[in-house]
Amino acid sequence: MPQDYEQFISNIYQKTGINLALYKEAQMKRRLTSLYQKKGYSSFKEFFQALDKDKQLMNEFLDRMTINVSEFYRNAKRWEVLDQSIIPELLSKNTTLKTWSAACSTGEEPFTLSMVLSKHMPLSKIQILATDIDENVLAKAKRGVYSERSLNEAPKEMVKKFFQQDGSYYTVGDEIKKTVTFKKQNLLADHYGGPFDLIVCRNVLIYFTEEAKESIYQKFSAALRPGGILFVGSTEQIFNPGTYNFETADTFFYRKK
Ligand SMILES: C[S@@+](CC[C@H](N)C(=O)[O-])C[C@H]1O[C@@H](n2cnc3c(N)ncnc32)[C@H](O)[C@@H]1O
């Protein structure tokens, strides 16, 4: 029933400010249908009535709609390009860098960025804003405790240098934690600060509709200073960078003109 989902979209928007219409429909509907069926509801209408009263269920819904998987040094070769070519380029123009990890999930991405930046500047000079729409992942990010699996791609010397190991768990050291400020932010609705030297936004735009994606690229472009870089995920190539006043700096890196 298409109207059932449309009404749900409108109810969720009124209650949370999250606009599900900007997420790819088939995928989102499938994820949410399987959740409500598992919970014993038979329509989006019934599901919303329950969500409206039950905070725990609302949290489960938010957890299901935001796909939170992440890992340190995800697609490690791209982080090498950042380390060896992009950061030196940015630092040739500015000695401090204003950076933003947008849709940072449980923190692996901003902490990776901090470790990579630490090879180029003192930790005391690193400032990373890290944002996500989901408060649960932000709480986990602030704790900074990870399983061994999430560190598979991280260089051994970095793990040794910046983590405390406790059995099979690894905690990010305070010196790295201090470089990152976590904040709740909805990329589809909230204000973007700036101007930034580097915006890292990976593995989230794939969930959005084309129109939503285009509007986010425009806003990223406006939030970058000229010469600033947008670093996207490894399935998220921008096919027409010029439209957003970007030029390709390397694969999956775009420079604001
Ligand atoms: C798959 S994770 C990506 C994490 C990390 N960037 C990476 O590449 O490993 C996607 C994240 O996007 C967040 N997200 C989804 N919709 C969002 C929105 N409208 N605004 C901000 N973050 C959003 C989710 O909460 C989730 O943590």
Side-chain angles (χ1 to χ4, degrees):
M1 279 192 296
Q3 303 95 313
D4 187 33
Y5 186 59
E6 276 163 30
Q7 186 58 49
F8 182 76
I9 290 180
S10 144
N11 291 339
I12 288 293
Y13 185 60
Q14 274 163 33
K15 190 166 171 75
T16 67
I18 296 172
N19 188 355
L20 290 173
L22 299 176
Y23 291 75
K24 282 182 192 153
E25 181 170 323
Q27 205 181 22
M28 183 57 78
K29 232 166 141 176
R30 204 165 43 238
R31 295 179 70 76
L32 297 179
T33 305
S34 81
L35 174 65
Y36 80 58
Q37 287 173 343
K38 196 175 106 197
K39 296 280 163 192
Y41 303 105
S42 56
S43 65
F44 277 109
K45 185 173 177 197
E46 273 184 21
F47 186 40
F48 181 77
Q49 283 163 351
L51 281 178
D52 204 18
K53 294 185 217 106
D54 182 345
K55 190 135 204 298
Q56 169 63 30
L57 188 61
M58 180 56 100
N59 270 335
E60 280 187 60
F61 154 75
L62 288 172
D63 208 36
R64 177 59 66 100
M65 67 141 291
T66 61
I67 297 137
N68 299 133
V69 283
S70 192
E71 61 185 297
F72 287 90
Y73 288 84
R74 188 171 191 173
N75 314 110
K77 286 265 171 281
R78 297 293 96 208
W79 290 95
E80 269 172 36
V81 173
L82 183 78
D83 179 19
Q84 285 160 23
S85 136
I86 304 289
I87 294 174
E89 171 188 322
L90 291 172
L91 284 174
S92 70
K93 294 173 204 136
N94 269 310
T95 49
T96 53
L97 300 180
K98 203 171 151 142
T99 62
W100 176 21
S101 163
C104 65
S105 188
T106 35
E108 293 86 337
E109 182 178 279
F111 290 141
T112 300
L113 179 59
S114 180
M115 288 188 277
V116 173
L117 284 169
S118 78
K119 294 168 73 181
H120 300 268
M121 56 171 77
L123 282 161
S124 59
K125 277 175 85 180
I126 301 176
Q127 283 178 26
I128 301 167
L129 170 68
T131 60
D132 199 283
I133 195 174
D134 182 346
E135 285 175 66
N136 297 325
V137 292
L138 291 173
K140 194 164 173 232
K142 285 180 197 162
R143 283 196 297 278
V145 182
Y146 299 94
S147 68
E148 197 161 12
R149 200 161 42 109
S150 67
L151 284 156
N152 267 347
E153 289 211 64
K156 296 282 164 287
E157 71 276 11
M158 288 307 205
V159 178
K160 211 163 148 215
K161 190 166 175 191
F162 291 121
F163 288 79
Q164 284 115 41
Q165 187 183 355
D166 181 9
S168 56
Y169 286 93
Y170 292 76
T171 305
V172 186
D174 281 343
E175 68 279 28
I176 290 289
K177 265 193 196 163
K178 274 191 211 147
T179 65
V180 181
T181 306
F182 290 101
K183 228 171 98 186
K184 184 174 170 184
Q185 195 244 19
N186 180 352
L187 280 171
L188 294 166
D190 296 335
H191 176 69
Y192 293 17
F196 294 98
D197 298 282
L198 173 67
I199 299 175
V200 182
C201 183
R202 310 182 72 214
N203 307 301
V204 62
L205 299 188
I206 34 167
Y207 302 115
F208 297 149
T209 62
E210 280 310 307
E211 299 75 59
K213 244 193 274 190
E214 282 164 21
S215 134
I216 289 178
Y217 289 142
Q218 294 291 5
K219 292 204 262 177
F220 279 152
S221 179
L224 281 166
R225 64 161 183 77
I229 296 281
L230 172 66
F231 176 16
V232 301
S234 292
T235 55
E236 297 174 320
Q237 201 150 1
I238 305 178
F239 291 105
N240 44 354
T243 316
Y244 311 102
N245 213 15
F246 286 133
E247 60 191 10
T248 304
D250 203 310
T251 323
F252 307 114
F253 292 92
Y254 300 93
R255 187 186 298 109
K256 159 97 174 272
K257 286 194 226 164

